[in-house]
Amino acid sequence: MSFLRRRFGATASDTPEPAQETSTDTDTVEELRVIHANKLQDLKAKPHHKKRGYLWIFTLGGVFGLAVAAFFAGSNDMIDFSGFGNLEGMNLDSIMDILPQGFLSDAQQLQKHQRDAVNYDSFAVGMHARSQGITATHPVIMIPGVISTGLESWGVEEASKQYFRKRLWGSWTMMRALVLDKQGWKRHIMLDKITGMDPPGIKLRAAQGFDATDFFITGYWIWNKILENLATIGYDPGNAFTAAYDWRMAYMNYEKRDQYFTRLKAHIEVGVRVSDKKVVLLSHSMGSQVLYYFLHWVEAEGYGNGGKDWVDTYIDSWINISGCMLGAAKGMPAVLSGEMKDTAQLNAFSVYGLEKFLSRSERAEMFRAMPGISSMLPLGGNAVWGDENGAPDDQPGQNISFGNFIRFRDANSTLTNNNLTVDESFPYLFRNSEEWYKDMVQSSYSNGVAHTKKEVEDNQGIPAKWVNPLESRLPLAPNLKIYCFYGVGKETERAYYYREDSDPLSKTNVTIDTSYSNGRTDRGVVIGEGDGTVNLLSTGYMCAKGWKIKRYNPAGVKVTTYEMPHEPDRFSPRGGPNTGDHVDILGRSSLNDLILRVAGGHGHLIEESISSNIREYAEKVRVYEEE
């Protein structure tokens, strides 16, 4: 049950301790501590289990484990099933039939562990900032990541009536439907494979407001800590907004179906008009890609029609939190074979649940039918991710290069006779998937590199290029400020060993070779650097180097990079105040402190802080500065 303790030991009231690292001002965050040291000593004497690798937050497989864990979370030693409601046919026996032996006793131990955890003052960072004179200044708009937004049903067809206005992503209803109505849930959650929009008779929409993003399910916070601290310095629904979106769709369909970018543009303009201050935009993970796409859409003639001065007029700062600007390595196995490292390494209960409800081929089908997931496939090709001769982030003495992105130990099959670089993995993916998927990806996204100013400028009118910062440029907004805040120092999957899939019941041709472990390779997955989900090359390259190249930043937008080393508190189920984890970083004390400073008009005092080797890696990336 270690993965449950790791992800869900915190309840709704569990909040991170103020940061132990140095603040951006002279005051230390030690002043923010809200419990006595002797109490911490007592807690340290209690037994805790060593943390292991986190599950992949991007994927449904991880979400299943997450939902089940939270489902059993409660305030006493008895397991409370009341959260499941009164769905017809739901009873204790049916639940018990699903669960393996021993799970209930483990869940009871998990609950006891939760009660032993430290409850910290949620608002301490905000109180500290307020004591320094920081107050709400700029309107704030938050663009969440892939997991953060709940999806609710608005369909009125017979099959959808039971789910009307219930969330089929990010709620107990999701869990109930997955357990008791898997095929119905799949019909709702998957988009039409040809149009990339709602299937006939289905209508799923992104939930709106703060409730859509503050918690994923009860007790598992996402944006809640940031909202609490923003409120402490004076923010409320009048000057802070969330811009939730249906992350399943290709970006071009956000506007076509939901007018998402038009609404976001209007939110920003109204915020500026009411406050007479430019807006601060916060984005996390995939939300950073969505926002980057918006910055092109809003200017472009025939789209947002804002013109080249719009961004400079309306946006003060962009806070880019753990942005997967160049995609993520783990996006490839998700759509190729419906799996990822953390799925292969989950404990017996999680593996049992995934096999019980969703096979690998079902997961691959679902991920392909969610075009938004494919926006996070690696961008930049071999120039960024390396080739058979080496990769920018290879380590001294490393026995295999990360540039061999997909490797095969058995070369007897035509499917496995050649190792693949990132560039070669795309045609391989398309050969092993359906034609409709290939057409969707190639029409929606581009993963190359533009090496000249002319190429970049020509791409400004091509929507498929707008998601890729190596093929398009930042807005002509010399007064815009970009802050890149991301975690470093957490093991992150970087390359893979695959084998032919010999399971006669499987519909995938290949699968990760989980039987192989050697050195940096753990059960078929080669481990590199990052925040546990997104690779360091993706979060850091554009911030540390790419946007310093003139063709990608001709207006000279100021970019400040602030890395946050992963230093988890082993007594905190969510990593504590110094975690660098991709999602848990949203509760990190120093991140919240930095956000408040930017929103409060003090962002210019933030100094760059880089502790990783991203600068050295960036020099080896084959993206050239010559025009």
Side-chain angles (χ1 to χ4, degrees):
M1 299 309 299
S2 64
F3 92 103
L4 298 180
R5 284 189 290 272
R6 187 167 65 242
R7 276 286 177 198
F8 305 105
T11 64
S13 61
D14 290 335
T15 55
E17 179 186 3
Q20 298 164 357
E21 64 186 339
T22 304
S23 173
T24 52
D25 278 351
T26 56
D27 297 296
T28 64
V29 188
E30 189 66 30
E31 297 173 353
L32 303 181
R33 193 176 297 278
V34 294
I35 60 173
H36 295 295
N38 57 359
K39 185 175 180 181
L40 279 176
Q41 286 297 113
D42 292 339
L43 286 166
K44 290 178 181 178
K46 299 184 179 182
H48 294 276
H49 296 268
K50 187 176 180 180
K51 298 175 68 177
R52 291 179 291 179
Y54 283 19
L55 61 84
W56 184 26
I57 210 69
F58 278 80
T59 65
L60 182 63
V63 171
F64 172 79
L66 183 155
V68 173
F71 164 73
F72 285 107
S75 59
N76 52 55
D77 286 340
M78 296 300 294
I79 304 301
D80 180 13
F81 293 98
S82 60
F84 271 93
N86 298 315
L87 191 68
E88 183 179 352
M90 191 66 174
N91 55 57
L92 183 60
D93 291 337
S94 65
I95 298 172
M96 295 294 291
D97 181 61
I98 293 169
L99 301 178
Q101 292 294 323
F103 177 75
L104 294 180
S105 60
D106 283 343
Q108 290 171 345
Q109 289 299 315
L110 168 64
Q111 292 176 343
K112 183 177 185 301
H113 176 72
Q114 288 179 196
R115 291 194 303 276
D116 291 341
V118 182
N119 292 324
Y120 297 111
D121 182 357
S122 302
F123 307 94
V125 174
M127 295 294 291
H128 177 65
R130 194 169 72 181
S131 72
Q132 295 183 324
I134 296 175
T135 59
T137 302
H138 297 280
V140 168
I141 296 179
M142 291 159 276
I143 297 93
V146 64
I147 192 177
S148 306
T149 300
L151 302 176
E152 59 188 25
S153 176
W154 282 82
V156 295
E157 300 293 330
E158 194 61 36
S160 298
K161 286 181 179 178
Q162 62 176 322
Y163 300 123
F164 183 72
R165 292 202 63 208
K166 292 183 171 64
R167 293 189 188 178
L168 291 177
W169 179 271
S171 73
W172 302 126
T173 303
M174 176 187 76
M175 184 60 189
R176 291 198 298 263
L178 184 58
V179 172
L180 301 176
D181 183 23
K182 185 181 76 170
Q183 293 305 318
W185 182 81
K186 285 178 60 181
R187 283 195 301 272
H188 281 78
I189 205 74
M190 292 170 62
L191 294 169
D192 185 276
K193 295 175 180 178
I194 304 302
T195 66
M197 309 279 266
D198 294 310
I202 302 296
K203 191 175 184 179
L204 225 60
R205 295 292 182 269
Q208 298 299 318
F210 296 131
D211 288 344
T213 59
D214 56 350
F215 289 89
F216 180 68
I217 50 178
T218 305
Y220 189 82
W221 49 262
I222 303 289
W223 286 83
N224 185 61
K225 306 306 173 190
I226 292 174
L227 292 174
E228 289 172 340
N229 285 299
L230 285 172
T232 306
I233 66 169
Y235 283 96
D236 57 43
N239 55 3
F241 313 91
T242 56
Y245 53 92
D246 187 342
W247 43 266
R248 300 173 302 156
M249 295 192 297
Y251 295 176
M252 64 182 66
N253 285 334
Y254 287 13
E255 180 67 16
K256 184 176 180 180
R257 195 194 73 179
D258 298 339
Q259 299 79 52
Y260 174 79
F261 295 120
T262 294
R263 297 174 190 273
L264 178 56
K265 179 186 178 187
H267 266 308
I268 294 171
E269 291 175 343
V270 169
V272 172
R273 191 175 305 121
V274 170
S275 67
D276 199 29
K277 293 284 187 181
K278 293 183 184 181
V279 165
V280 168
L281 299 173
L282 278 70
S283 63
H284 174 245
S285 186
M286 177 181 171
S288 294
Q289 287 184 307
V290 172
L291 178 53
Y292 186 75
Y293 187 97
F294 167 77
L295 295 178
H296 294 82
W297 177 91
V298 74
E299 288 184 343
E301 185 176 352
Y303 296 91
N305 295 316
K308 65 180 183 179
D309 297 327
W310 190 92
V311 172
D312 209 40
T313 301
Y314 289 99
I315 301 176
D316 177 82
S317 303
W318 169 20
I319 301 176
N320 170 20
I321 305 169
S322 304
C324 48
M325 301 311 302
L326 298 181
K330 61 174 56 181
M332 183 61 71
V335 291
L336 175 61
S337 55
E339 60 193 333
M340 66 300 298
K341 164 183 173 286
D342 294 309
T343 302
Q345 292 185 328
L346 289 179
N347 64 21
F349 167 72
S350 297
V351 172
Y352 177 92
L354 291 169
E355 293 177 350
K356 176 85 172 181
F357 298 110
L358 293 169
S359 67
R360 285 192 299 101
S361 57
E362 283 181 308
R363 296 196 301 270
E365 180 189 20
M366 290 181 59
F367 297 149
R368 293 172 193 172
M370 297 175 174
I373 296 291
S374 295
S375 72
M376 292 179 285
L377 292 171
L379 303 177
N382 292 2
V384 173
W385 301 93
D387 56 26
E388 63 277 0
N389 297 316
D393 52 339
D394 282 345
Q395 301 297 306
Q398 191 169 315
N399 58 346
I400 64 165
S401 170
F402 291 138
N404 292 303
F405 183 53
I406 295 179
R407 299 175 61 92
F408 303 99
R409 291 193 298 152
D410 180 4
N412 294 328
S413 167
T414 57
L415 290 171
T416 63
N417 57 357
N418 288 307
N419 296 331
L420 306 172
T421 65
V422 164
D423 276 344
E424 294 164 338
S425 69
F426 277 85
Y428 184 81
L429 168 65
F430 297 146
R431 288 197 304 272
N432 287 278
S433 56
E434 302 83 355
E435 193 67 24
W436 60 262
Y437 176 72
K438 174 183 176 181
D439 293 342
M440 179 276 298
V441 173
Q442 291 184 330
S443 64
S444 300
Y445 311 115
S446 178
N447 66 322
V449 176
H451 287 288
T452 68
K453 179 179 179 181
K454 183 180 186 306
E455 286 181 84
V456 169
E457 293 303 323
D458 289 345
N459 290 340
Q460 292 303 108
I462 305 174
K465 306 287 188 180
W466 293 347
V467 73
N468 186 353
L470 290 173
E471 293 188 286
S472 56
R473 59 165 169 76
L474 288 172
L476 301 177
N479 297 300
L480 174 68
K481 298 172 286 292
I482 297 177
Y483 299 91
C484 296
F485 302 148
Y486 56 88
V488 296
K490 193 169 190 289
E491 290 187 344
T492 306
E493 57 193 83
R494 177 64 174 82
Y496 305 90
Y497 277 88
Y498 263 80
R499 62 174 175 81
E500 190 170 8
D501 191 351
S502 58
D503 184 351
L505 299 179
S506 176
K507 297 179 182 179
T508 60
N509 294 325
V510 290
T511 181
I512 290 177
D513 187 357
T514 58
S515 66
Y516 182 65
S517 295
N518 182 23
R520 298 182 68 89
T521 303
D522 184 10
R523 302 190 186 186
V525 178
V526 186
I527 302 301
E529 297 178 77
D531 63 9
T533 295
V534 181
N535 311 91
L536 177 59
L537 282 173
S538 179
T539 55
Y541 175 76
M542 293 308 301
C543 302
K545 177 67 182 291
W547 284 327
K548 307 294 171 63
I549 299 174
K550 189 172 182 180
R551 67 175 176 273
Y552 298 131
N553 185 6
V557 174
K558 183 180 179 182
V559 181
T560 302
T561 302
Y562 196 100
E563 293 185 340
M564 301 184 183
H566 181 57
E567 299 170 346
D569 179 357
R570 64 190 182 97
F571 299 111
S572 173
R574 294 289 296 273
N578 291 323
T579 178
D581 175 76
H582 183 70
V583 174
D584 293 344
I585 198 173
L586 293 174
R588 183 179 176 119
S589 297
S590 57
L591 174 67
N592 277 255
D593 177 58
L594 293 169
I595 290 171
L596 298 186
R597 294 178 187 278
V598 176
H602 294 257
H604 61 282
L605 298 176
I606 298 173
E607 296 182 358
E608 194 157 79
S609 177
I610 296 179
S611 58
S612 74
N613 293 323
I614 187 59
R615 289 194 179 106
E616 289 83 350
Y617 300 157
E619 293 303 319
K620 300 176 186 177
V621 170
R622 297 195 303 274
V623 175
Y624 307 111
E625 297 190 48
E626 291 79 5
E627 295 296 341

